[in-house]
Structure formats: structure tokens, C-alpha cells
Amino acid sequence: MLKVIINKEIRDLLGSTKFAIIFGVCALLIIATFYVAGTRYKINQSYHEASVTENLRRYEGVTDWFDVQDSRVILPPSPLACLVTGVSNDIGRSILVSGIGELTAEGSRYNEDPLFAIFRFLDLEYVFGVILSLLAILLCYNSISGEKEQGTLRLTFAQPISRSTYILGKILGSFIALSASILVAIAVGCLVFIIMGIPMTDDQWLRLILIIIVGLLYFGAFMSLSVFLSALTSRSANSLLLLLVVWICAVLIVPRVSVLAAGRTVEVPSVDAIANEKATFRAQTRQEFIDAMTHFNPDKYEESADKALMTFMDSLQKERENRVSEFAGRLNENRRNRQQVQHRLALALARISPTASMSLSMSQLAGTDVDMSRDFMEQALTYQKKFASFCEAKTGVVASGFRVIRQVEGEELPEEKPLDVSEIPVFEHHEMATAAVVDAAIPDIGLLVIYNLLFFVGAFVAFLKYDLR
Amino acid sequence: MLATLIQKELKAIILSPKFPATFAVCSLLILLSTFMGIMEYRNDMAQYETARELTQQELRSTTSWGHIKTKVYRIPEVMQIFVSGVNYDIGRWSAIDDDQGVELRHSAYSDDPVFAVFRFVDFAFVVQFVLTLFALLFTFNAVNGEREDGTLKLILSNSVPRAQYLLAKGIGAWLGLVVPIGIPILLSLLMLPLFGIPTDADTWLKIASLMGISLILFSFFIVLGVLVSTITRRSNISFLMSLVVWILAVMIIPRGGVMAAGTIIRVPREAEIKAQQDAFERQNWHDYYNSSANLWTLDKPDDGGELTDEELWALIARQDSARAEIEAEINQHEVRLREELRRRKRAQERLAFVLSRFSPVSAYQLAAMTLAETDIETKARYEDAMSDFRSAFVSYGKKKAAETGDIGGVQIALSIDDDGNQNMQISSDRNTGELDLEGIPEFQRPSTDNAAIIGEIAVDGGIIGFLTIMAFAGAFVAFLKYDVR
């Protein structure tokens, strides 16, 4: 019997004009999303390559490793980040790394191109979160109340069917019909990706599949919510209105408002205050640095005075930088901890809405969640160490900036040969391991499953008490 | 007769069961969004004040006029309460420094990405997403719903011209929706003085224009619903149709237009520009160091003796002027690069806006941002003002340094005498007191021409108004031929 009902539900849905129109729009959107992501990825990739080459090209013709004092680290684009943008366009993507000192990430895409910040990009998170949830509502808002209005509900229950079989069949049928159609559109989208030649590793495909599963779970939650509310109301016009209000709150309002409200209740030291403290501390150490410098005595060194001065300055500078970065590190650490408290509170509140759970888990899986900038910074720090040891190996000093050129009359300058810039260590960005990412996303996925169950049970209970007349 | 019909329409809307729910949601959202906007504004303002205080303090504690530098911040706008635009996406401050061009950096979202996850909710957002949807929800079955109920036949069996009937529909729906929405809007405006937000006549004028253009957009969607209901016979079809149109107008066309423009016109990345500039700088400084090294050896007197003090000073002066020349050249190069970048960006923006203006919703968003001065021009506007400030600031610093004879820095002298003994002197004659910052230039908010802004948004308002009239005319024509059976 269950099979018959599922079958009937699938046919009902797929045969309606409503479905044809709405699904047509959604399918086009999904495919467009993949296409847009692919093009963005290619554009970003070409920008990225250009920036990396420029980074090396500025050292072309340089003949002395002393002139190579810094190297720019740039966050490479990833196809998944184009599909689920998360905060990837908001965070700084480029860090100037010199052998020593604090790093700051700069140049977020939206800051560079505010044009795109106005309406943002089309991505899977948006398509699922805003458009497909609306589709779920539009297709299921009258699944119970509509049948009642048409009189088919009474007809059905004239047969020996239990209410629980009926409601189960309803929900399963709609879910199978709709998710299958969405999957077809997504499959075409993936094909577009492959045809465009977007390089995706197996790991990334796996993550994409998980992202789609999260999307379908979310879709299922909205679908069973629609059935639930339609079983609570006797007129379909009322259930639609109610659902639209719920949709507006869940999708557009709750996530934003809760983040803003929670974010402002937790005080996080402002970046400016921290920057100021750092600058003050740096100014202090500068005075001490200069005082220490006056104590230089070349006689204490075996090397010639210029060499000695350089090593002396380097060690002084290193000491100063270490002190400054230790101080800055403490401040940053403090801010980071406060920020984490803020994130936890803000995002926990936002999760009242399934949309928030969905977009948080999706961005986690795509590696574009709020921790993205911290992860990038850590990798840049690792690179900094590599770069510092490289500089030290080449020139003997790191802290740099200071240089003595000794030129003795009558002595020829050493011949200048262009450097082999390919020797400069290359920054390689590592994506977080899939296992770790999945681990981080699991609570949100679990929450989505709970939402599904909750709405399903709600629909079930409401329908058991439903007045069929 | 018209009055009776309008009255009937008004009653139908206000007494309908969906009215209390939608009215409550809209009022709540309008009040909430304004409240959040006010909170954010106050937060931004407090942050701005502290930051300014701190930079002043930092400036005072600088010990030397040589190479003085500071930071300037973007100043929060009252109008950002209603339209946040790109305010949180573009950089908050720029360094003001002799050897560095002006560039806004560190957007609020890049400092605190958690706020970027779901972004901001403001009045303009509520108008675009919620009010438009509710407008359609009330009018999608204005005509065909009455046909389905059978009341259309009944009404037209009286001596009511069709034109009058449709006019009454339009006016009634408009009054029934606009007047109730006006209440929370007025309440939210009351919140401004209540929370002590400084408002002047200019701000109120802008707020009034914003409300005006919001109403035009709202009217457009009311009329659109009427139009859809006159060209379809069944209300569930017209509902579907208006939703599809809504999704396209609100969610697809604005993004699609911008992204299409982004693909058609390529703009070099900032990082590329920076790298090119870096390379240029490096090359120039490299040349400079080489030539100045030569300067010291070449100008040695022929007799092999030491340079006299005058000669030494002349040499230093020559080196300084060479340095200044290179700095100027580097600055010019950067200006050229940036100008080129900006030109390309402008072209891209123009195309994007033309494409996305196919939807009245994006025309509204663009107009609202222009009005609130949180549009994409904000960045260029601030960077220009900051560049002007930079030249004033730098020349002030130079003047002061010349007056006080204080160039700062550390002097190191290394000499080796004939016996090979090395001798080294390091000195830093620095004053440790605070600088006297009397008369130091202060950064002013870039001035904008209010008349130009209002003129600009009048165009967008005109476009949406025109579309509204066209939609109403369409509904009129369709209804004249409507089969009332």
C-alpha cells in the first residue's frame, strides 16, 4: 500500500504544471551556478597565477639576495570555494611575508571589487538555502490541506489505509520525486564542471557529494515542515501564508539577527586598539633598540667591522622582533579567544534556523567557514619560517633592512649576476584533511537530521489528529 | 462609485486573515532592522572615535618630524543605518605615509568574518525581500480571485465601468498596503532622535528620498500583482507566475547582471598592480643606491684629501634631491597604474549596472546605496580625499622637519684609518619630548554634492516609476479584454 501511495505522490508532483515551471527555473539555476563557479574559478586561477608570477618577477634582474627581503603569499582559489563561497571573498587573501615580524592578511576580494559585494555571487549555498527551500514550500504547502479541499483525502481514506502509511507515503513520495529531480540538475552541473575542465581531486568530489547530501537534508527539512504545517491548517491559503512567514524568518532573518545580536554582546577587543598597542610597544622597543645600537663595539668581533655590524644589527633586530611578536602574539591570542566565544554564541543562536545549520556545514565542507582566515594565517606562518631560514642561508642575516656596503677604492665591485628566483621557497596551500572537515561538520549535519525527524514526527502527529472532513 | 469601490477594496485587504500576520511581520522587521542599524552605527561610531583618539595619541608620541606617518579612518554615515551597502566590505582605513600610496584596507568583514557569514539585515534589505513579496501576496489574485469567487460578475452587473473598477482596485490595494507600512516606518524614524543619532536637514532629506523610492518600488510590486492577476484566469497560476517573476527580479537578475559583467570585462587584480608597482619601486631604489654609492667615490677630491664640510653637505643635498625625484617618479607611476585600473573598473561597473537594472529591485538597491553614500564609489571617493590629505600631511611634516631641523633617524659612521683600525660611531640625536601638533591638517569626510545624488537617484526612481505606470497600463489593457465569466 505504501508503494502505491508513494507512486501516486510522485506522479502527482511530476505531472503538475507547477512542478514543471518551478523545477525548470531551479534546474537552470543549479546548472548556472556550476557554470558561474567554473568561470569564477578560471578567472581567479588566472589572477592567482599572474600574482604568483609577479611576485617572482619583481626579483628578476636582482643580483643580490639581500634585495630579496619578502615574498608574497597568496591564497589560491579552489573550485569548492567557488561553489560554496562562505567567507572566502571577505577575508584577506594576500600576505607579505618577510623573514621576521608579524603577518597581516590583506586584499579581500570584496574590498578590491566592491561591485561583487553588492549582490554577492550565486552559489550552491544560496541556491539551496533560499531558492530550493522556497521550492519545497511551494510544492508541498497544500499536500494535506489541498487534498482535503479537493475531496480526494476522504476518498483515499474510504480505502483500508492507515493514516501513518498515508503520511509516510506522502512525505517519502514528495522527497523522492523532488530530490531525484534536483540530483539530475546537479549531475548536469557536475558534467558542466568536468567539461569546463575544472581540476577537482577525488577528495574534493567526495566533499562535493557531502555538500549535496547536506543540501538534500536541508531540502527534506523544509519539505517535511511544509507537510507538517499543511497538516496543522485546514485551508491551503493559510498554510502557504504561515509557511512564507516561517521561511522569511528562518532564511532571511534569524541567522542575520542572531549573529548581529550575539556578536555585539560578546566584547571583542577592536583591531584598532590592538594595532595601537602593538605600535606603542614597537615604538618603545625602537628606543631601546637605538640605545643598544650605540653600544656596538667593533673590537669585540673577529670579523671586519662591516660584517660585525651586520651580525650585530641582525641579532639586535631579531631580539626586538621576537619581543614585539611575542607581545603581539599575546594580544592576538586574547582577541582570538574572545572571537571564538563570540563565534560560538553567535552561531549557536543562528542554528535555531535550519538554514544556518545548512550553510555552516556546507561552508565547513568547502573549507570556507569562519576559521578559513586563521587556517591561512597558520600556513603563512609555517612558510615564514621556511622563508627565514632560506634568507639566512643565502645572506647570513634575516632581520634585514640593514646593510653595509663596503667599497674600497680601486677595488672592482664583484660581478653582478641575476639571481635564480626559482630558488625562493614556494608557498603551497594545503586544504584541511577531509576527515577533520567532516568531523567539524558532523554536529550541523546531525542537527539537520534532527530537524528532519522533528518536522516529520510533527507532521505525523498532526495528521493523526487531522479532521478529514 | 469609485469611493465605494476603493472602500470595499480597502476593507477586503485589511479584514483578510493574512493581513494581521503580514503586517506584524513587516512592522517587526522594519523596526528590528532599524534598531540593529542604529546599534551597528553606534558601535561603528564608538570604534571610529577610539581609533581616531589612538592615532592622535600615537602621532603625539612620535619623537621626530622626519618621516612622520599616521592612519585615517572612514567616517560612519548616519544613512548606513538604513542602507549598509558595501560599507562592511570595503576597507576601513588607510595608512598615510610618504612612501606608500593611499589604499583603503581591512574591511570590517575581513577583521570579523563571523559577521560576513550571514551578512547584514537593513531597511533596504527588508524592502527588497519582504515588502515586495508581501505586495505580491496581496494582489496576485486581485482580479482573477474575484472571478473565481463570482463577485466580479456581480460587480460588473452594476453600472461600473471596467476602467473605474481597475482603478479602484489599484488605489485600494495601494492605500491598504502603503498606509499600514507607513506606521512602522514612522516609528523607526522616531528611533533616530530617541537613540541620539545626530541628524540634520540633509539627512532627513535623504531619508525622505529613501522612503520615497522604497514606496515606488513597493507600488511597482503591488501593480505587478494586479497585472499578473488580469492576464491569467486562475489564481494559483497567477500566484506561481508572480513568484517566478519575484525570484527572477529579486534574486537572479541582480546577481546575474553583475556576474555577467565580471566575466565580459576583465579587470586586473589589485595584487598584480601592487606587484608591478613593487617591481618598479625596487628597480628605482636599486638604481638609486648604486648611483649614490658611486657619488661618494666619484666626488672624492683629486688630491685624495677629505671632503670639506660644505662639499659634504652639497653631496647630501644632491643625494636628497635624487631621492625626492625617485619618490615623485614612483608616486606618479602608482597614480598611473591606479588610474588605469579604475578606468577598467568603471567600465565593468557601468556594464554590470546596466545589465542588473533590468530588475527594478537592483535599480532600487543601487539608488538606495547612492543615497546612503555606501555605494561602490565610496571607496574611490575616500581614496581620493585621503590622497589629498596625504599630500597636505606629508608636506606639513616636511615643513616642520625643516623648521625644527629634526630629520630623525640614526647616523652611523664607519671609517677605517690607514693603519687598518676600524672606527665606528653610532649616534641618534633625538628629542624625546612630544611633538607639537599645532596646525596639523585634519582629515575631512569627502564632500558629496547632495543635488547630484538626488538627481542620480531620481533617474532610478523614474525608471521604477515608469515601470509601475507601464505595468498598470498593461493591467488596464488586459482587463478591458478580460473575460469575466
Side-chain angles (χ1 to χ4, degrees), chain A residues 47 106 111-112 121 256, chain B residues 120 255 267 269 345 379:
Chain A
Y47 281 146
E106 296 199 328
N111 183 26
E112 285 181 13
F121 290 106
R256 294 165 191 244
Chain B
F120 198 65
R255 290 171 189 238
V267 170
R269 270 251 113 79
K345 273 194 177 170
K379 199 178 171 200

Side-chain angles (χ1 to χ4, degrees), chain A residues 13 15-26 134-142 240 244, chain B residues 133 136-137 139-141 144 224-225 228-229 231-249:
Chain A
L13 262 177
S16 67
T17 32
K18 191 158 86 166
F19 174 80
I21 296 175
I22 300 181
F23 179 70
V25 173
C26 292
L134 198 59
L135 170 97
I137 288 176
L138 288 181
L139 290 174
C140 297
Y141 75 94
N142 60 355
L240 177 64
L244 279 180
Chain B
L133 184 63
L136 285 179
L137 215 54
T139 53
F140 76 94
N141 61 354
N144 56 16
L224 184 71
V228 171
S229 82
I231 54 174
T232 48
R233 300 197 48 76
R234 289 181 46 211
S235 61
N236 50 7
I237 297 289
S238 67
F239 176 67
L240 203 66
M241 208 163 127
S242 42
L243 260 179
V244 170
V245 171
W246 182 77
I247 291 182
L248 283 178

Side-chain angles (χ1 to χ4, degrees), chain B residues 318-482:
Chain B
R318 204 148 12 122
Q319 210 170 352
D320 275 353
S321 75
R323 194 187 163 83
E325 217 169 87
I326 282 176
E327 268 171 10
E329 209 171 302
I330 286 174
N331 274 343
Q332 248 173 27
H333 187 255
E334 179 154 21
V335 167
R336 264 204 308 278
L337 277 180
R338 295 217 167 261
E339 218 133 80
E340 169 65 15
L341 178 68
R342 213 181 262 186
R343 201 182 54 73
R344 295 274 287 272
K345 273 194 177 170
R346 281 261 161 77
Q348 193 185 44
E349 282 159 13
R350 261 202 302 277
L351 182 65
F353 291 162
V354 167
L355 289 179
S356 54
R357 272 206 181 93
F358 275 109
S359 154
V361 177
S362 37
Y364 168 78
Q365 167 76 6
L366 296 176
M369 290 193 313
T370 313
L371 205 54
E373 294 177 34
T374 50
D375 54 328
I376 45 171
E377 285 299 309
T378 314
K379 199 178 171 200
R381 219 169 27 235
Y382 262 97
E383 283 182 352
D384 285 346
M386 284 170 173
S387 285
D388 292 345
F389 173 73
R390 176 180 169 231
S391 2
F393 183 83
V394 167
S395 60
Y396 176 82
K398 284 202 174 126
K399 201 183 81 194
K400 274 285 191 182
E403 269 173 24
T404 52
D406 162 22
I407 48 162
V410 182
Q411 285 96 44
I412 302 172
L414 178 71
S415 59
I416 304 169
D417 60 22
D418 297 338
D419 307 331
N421 289 330
Q422 295 172 340
N423 192 11
M424 173 130 184
Q425 274 187 325
I426 300 175
S427 61
S428 68
D429 302 321
R430 306 171 53 80
N431 46 24
T432 43
E434 290 196 342
L435 293 183
D436 172 25
L437 294 181
E438 179 98 13
I440 195 155
E442 252 192 77
F443 179 66
Q444 301 291 338
R445 185 194 299 265
S447 61
T448 42
D449 182 1
N450 278 327
I453 287 179
I454 304 264
E456 213 173 299
I457 69 141
V459 176
D460 280 313
I463 293 176
I464 309 174
F466 176 72
L467 286 176
T468 312
I469 292 168
M470 287 308 287
F472 196 70
F476 205 78
V477 172
F479 186 63
L480 288 184
K481 292 192 257 170
Y482 198 73

Side-chain angles (χ1 to χ4, degrees), chain A residues 313-465:
Chain A
M313 292 291 283
D314 191 50
S315 69
L316 262 192
Q317 185 85 321
K318 255 190 211 155
E319 194 196 309
R320 177 184 176 206
E321 285 297 342
N322 283 339
R323 273 180 63 202
V324 171
S325 47
E326 197 186 312
F327 179 80
R330 264 206 307 279
L331 289 180
N332 291 345
E333 181 74 30
N334 180 30
R335 179 173 150 82
R336 242 198 327 265
N337 290 342
R338 298 296 298 167
Q339 249 183 344
Q340 262 187 345
V341 175
Q342 187 191 45
H343 289 184
R344 265 204 294 278
L345 180 65
L347 300 181
L349 266 184
R351 285 188 175 106
I352 295 171
S353 150
T355 314
S357 298
M358 184 273 306
S359 71
L360 291 177
S361 52
M362 266 196 187
S363 53
Q364 214 124 41
L365 286 169
T368 54
D369 53 320
V370 272
D371 290 334
M372 190 182 182
S373 56
R374 204 180 56 205
D375 181 52
F376 177 43
M377 189 53 86
E378 271 162 18
Q379 299 201 24
L381 283 172
T382 321
Y383 176 78
Q384 187 181 32
K385 291 203 187 90
K386 214 155 98 186
F387 185 72
S389 55
F390 170 77
C391 288
E392 190 141 34
K394 284 290 179 195
T395 62
V397 290
V398 178
S400 63
F402 188 85
R403 184 177 175 193
V404 179
I405 301 174
R406 179 181 171 145
Q407 196 175 350
V408 180
E409 269 176 275
E411 211 172 90
E412 282 294 309
L413 280 171
E415 198 190 338
E416 295 193 335
K417 270 184 292 186
L419 302 176
D420 179 12
V421 285
S422 61
E423 283 182 58
I424 301 175
V426 177
F427 173 69
E428 272 168 43
H429 183 255
H430 301 285
E431 282 191 354
M432 263 170 85
T434 305
V437 168
V438 173
D439 265 359
I442 271 182
D444 275 313
I445 299 178
L447 207 57
L448 280 176
V449 173
I450 290 175
Y451 277 121
N452 268 295
L453 288 177
L454 208 65
F455 296 144
F456 185 79
V457 169
F460 199 81
V461 172
F463 188 67
L464 289 185
K465 293 195 240 164

Side-chain angles (χ1 to χ4, degrees), chain A residues 47 67 90 106 111-112 117 121 126 138 240-241 256 264 272 276 290 293 305 309 335 339 359, chain B residues 18 40 43 58 91-92 105 110-112 119-120 251 255 267 269 282 345 379 422 424 428:
Chain A
Y47 281 146
D67 287 337
D90 293 292
E106 296 199 328
N111 183 26
E112 285 181 13
F121 290 106
Y126 182 77
L138 288 181
L240 177 64
L241 188 70
R256 294 165 191 244
R264 291 301 172 219
D272 307 320
N276 177 265
I290 289 169
M293 223 158 90
L309 181 63
R335 179 173 150 82
Q339 249 183 344
S359 71
Chain B
K18 52 188 169 180
E40 283 305 291
N43 187 58
E58 212 176 308
R92 290 185 304 118
R105 51 178 99 194
S110 71
D111 285 340
D112 285 308
R119 298 200 105 195
F120 198 65
M251 302 179 171
R255 290 171 189 238
V267 170
R269 270 251 113 79
R282 203 171 293 268
K345 273 194 177 170
K379 199 178 171 200
Q422 295 172 340
M424 173 130 184
S428 68

